[in-house]
Amino acid sequence: MSRFSLTLVSIFALSLAACDRSAPDAAQESGASSAASGEIDRGNAGALMPAANLRDLEERELNLGAVQGTPVLLNLWATWCAPCIKEMPLLDELAGDYGESLRVLTVSQDMGGPDKVADFFAQNRFDHLESWMDPQAELGFALGGGSLPTTVMYDAQGQEVWRVRGDYDWSSEEARAAIDAVLAN
């Protein structure tokens, strides 16, 4: 299967499993599966961060395989995903609160190029978030596809500690305690 075909299959899979922009809270309240429950899941603990290449709005490249030494909270999102949009200000606040002790990477899964992401960041004026993109959905595929948002916490050695699929309150005591526990190790 060609790379283009794999990309199309990935896009289709992410689209099917992704959030519902019309009713983001309904899926959470209707007994959605645990894969999109908005709860901390430690089932993949120990997995290494994928060595995917990301691009920012200025076309600079970041290889995730080289991001070590600081814990990373990696968030996959899209401009068309209502729960993702709801989380972004909370992630921006989180990044500001933790400063250099935690790198918060938000990675857009939008396929239409950087314009949508640039417009979204300009409209929302985030102070602490970096705007990274994964236009080929390689990272989403490497993390098992599935729903958006997906957020994965990695320790300073690049090993997964836990993940959250679906909407999550990043300002909650539970979120802060889970992050603090990673930073303490």
Side-chain angles (χ1 to χ4, degrees):
M1 185 178 279
S2 73
R3 181 179 175 96
F4 180 73
S5 297
L6 283 174
T7 299
L8 288 177
V9 169
S10 297
I11 293 167
F12 182 69
L14 283 172
S15 296
L16 285 177
C19 63
D20 176 6
R21 82 161 65 204
S22 63
D25 294 329
Q28 298 298 319
E29 296 169 0
S30 66
S33 73
S34 62
S37 65
E39 296 179 4
I40 291 176
D41 175 9
R42 291 179 171 79
N44 293 332
L48 290 176
M49 183 183 307
N53 290 318
L54 308 176
R55 293 205 180 275
D56 69 6
L57 296 174
E58 288 79 40
E59 294 296 316
R60 290 180 295 212
E61 194 169 283
L62 173 68
N63 182 316
L64 287 181
V67 178
Q68 291 187 12
T70 302
V72 172
L73 188 69
L74 178 69
N75 174 266
L76 301 182
W77 70 285
T79 59
W80 45 262
C81 170
C84 300
I85 292 168
K86 178 181 169 187
E87 283 188 341
M88 293 297 276
L90 298 174
L91 291 168
D92 186 54
E93 181 180 327
L94 189 80
D97 290 348
Y98 281 96
E100 293 182 14
S101 63
L102 175 69
R103 186 163 187 187
V104 178
L105 294 176
T106 57
V107 182
S108 171
Q109 300 296 289
D110 285 278
M111 305 308 281
D115 291 342
K116 284 186 176 189
V117 177
D119 290 345
F120 179 80
F121 267 75
Q123 289 173 3
N124 289 283
R125 298 185 182 113
F126 299 120
D127 294 322
H128 308 286
L129 294 180
E130 303 171 60
S131 56
W132 294 99
M133 296 173 292
D134 177 26
Q136 303 302 318
E138 292 175 3
L139 187 55
F141 189 69
L143 292 175
S147 63
L148 292 177
T150 294
T151 308
V152 184
M153 181 74 210
Y154 292 97
D155 64 18
Q157 291 74 41
Q159 293 185 332
E160 182 172 332
V161 180
W162 46 261
R163 70 175 57 194
V164 176
R165 291 185 191 261
D167 192 9
Y168 193 67
D169 180 2
W170 294 104
S171 64
S172 70
E173 288 182 28
E174 177 187 43
R176 301 297 174 119
I179 293 169
D180 290 343
V182 174
L183 298 180
N185 290 328

